[in-house]
Amino acid sequence: MKAVILAGGLGTRLQPYTFFIPKPMLPLGNKPLLEYLVEWLVKSKKINEIIICVSYLHRSIEDYFEDGTRFGISIKYSRSDRPLATAGQLKTAATYLKEPFVCLYGDSVYDFPLDKMIENHFGDKAFISMALTRYKTNLKYGFIEHSDNKKMLVSEWKEKPEISGLINIGCYVFEPEFLDSIPNSISFGMDEAVRDSIRSKKKVKSFIVEDGSFMDIGDKKSYLEAYKLYVKKLGKI
């Protein structure tokens, strides 16, 4: 199978770090974030080629990974001249994708059994498989509830309640026909494309991964936390 890594975003939430370095090339420990994703895909027994969708500061990614020989896998590139959001960026690689494929975001680190997710996708004859993980957080404000909306009587005060649920972690297995639902050359989010598939009654399956199997590097706070973790793993030099 082929795997697509979406690595063309501007990384605005990580500025000023991303003024001169694309977000997937930010260092984590002793290597760029994107290298961890490539290594994770190389470990899969089912992935034999990677397509990296690039745009912003694309040359630094292409010059570092080249054709993938150094990493033990074939790497190709799909380049757009402007950011197109997640699904729009994926669409640029459509000419490479005639069979089911894996797609993942280039601003996260994953550590779960991808091959099992792929096997489940085929076993369930799914149109889309989405990797999900459990998440919980406390709301910033207290919630006030009414017992009677007409009299506006307050019945309960929930101070900064905890909410929990399943969240998307940006790793998918897609059937190639999924690309038909994405318009050409416009900014189009993956959430829009997947919702269209759900509305069309396509079979969209979940694959739930354990806590700690995913790390998001989407903003400065999460990046600094991840950076400290990976530097700690290196030990004293």
Side-chain angles (χ1 to χ4, degrees):
M1 290 181 69
K2 296 178 181 180
V4 181
I5 303 176
L6 306 181
L10 294 174
T12 52
R13 289 185 297 161
L14 277 159
Q15 291 175 352
Y17 306 140
T18 51
F19 281 157
F20 305 105
I21 304 173
K23 179 165 57 173
M25 294 301 289
L26 289 173
L28 275 184
N30 60 345
K31 63 184 75 171
L33 163 61
L34 188 54
E35 189 169 345
Y36 291 98
L37 292 177
V38 170
E39 289 175 344
W40 183 62
L41 292 171
V42 168
K43 288 192 298 183
S44 167
K45 295 178 181 179
K46 299 184 183 296
I47 304 298
N48 62 0
E49 184 174 298
I50 297 172
I51 298 110
I52 304 179
C53 293
V54 295
S55 180
Y56 176 65
L57 299 176
H58 60 87
R59 185 64 67 187
S60 61
I61 295 174
E62 295 167 1
D63 288 349
Y64 187 90
F65 291 96
E66 299 178 319
D67 64 358
T69 300
R70 183 161 57 96
F71 302 92
I73 196 166
S74 172
I75 296 179
K76 292 184 171 64
Y77 300 91
S78 179
R79 188 189 303 170
S80 62
D81 58 5
R82 58 192 174 87
L84 295 170
T86 43
Q89 194 177 93
L90 171 61
K91 183 75 170 186
T92 67
T95 54
Y96 294 114
L97 304 171
K98 305 303 180 185
E99 303 291 336
F101 61 94
V102 171
C103 175
L104 54 149
Y105 297 166
D107 60 357
S108 301
V109 177
Y110 303 99
D111 185 21
F112 67 86
L114 177 61
D115 286 356
K116 185 175 180 181
M117 180 180 176
I118 294 169
E119 289 166 5
N120 286 1
H121 176 85
F122 287 113
D124 293 334
K125 297 181 179 179
F127 185 70
I128 300 171
S129 293
M130 301 173 59
L132 309 176
T133 194
R134 301 189 187 281
Y135 178 78
K136 60 183 178 181
T137 187
N138 287 91
L139 296 179
K140 184 178 178 180
Y141 303 102
F143 267 29
I144 308 299
E145 294 189 357
H146 286 146
S147 61
D148 186 327
N149 288 333
K150 289 183 179 179
K151 296 182 180 180
M152 301 298 286
L153 295 175
V154 173
S155 61
E156 190 172 1
W157 179 331
K158 296 180 178 179
E159 181 59 22
K160 299 181 179 64
E162 180 181 279
I163 59 171
S164 62
L166 293 168
I167 61 168
N168 171 37
I169 62 173
C171 181
Y172 310 85
V173 184
F174 289 125
E175 292 297 301
E177 292 79 13
F178 172 73
L179 295 165
D180 296 336
S181 65
I182 305 172
N184 289 315
S185 303
I186 69 167
S187 181
F188 201 73
M190 198 70 77
D191 58 325
E192 298 176 84
V194 173
R195 279 199 295 263
D196 285 347
S197 295
I198 295 170
R199 284 192 289 265
S200 300
K201 307 299 182 183
K202 301 292 188 182
K203 195 171 188 179
V204 179
K205 297 283 291 185
S206 63
F207 182 80
I208 300 174
V209 307
E210 298 178 1
D211 291 345
S213 300
F214 157 74
M215 185 180 296
D216 176 39
I217 320 290
D219 55 31
K220 282 181 278 190
K221 181 181 178 183
S222 59
Y223 170 59
L224 290 174
E225 288 173 352
Y227 182 83
K228 291 175 184 176
L229 177 64
Y230 276 83
V231 167
K232 188 175 180 181
K233 286 182 179 181
L234 290 175
K236 294 182 178 180
I237 299 176

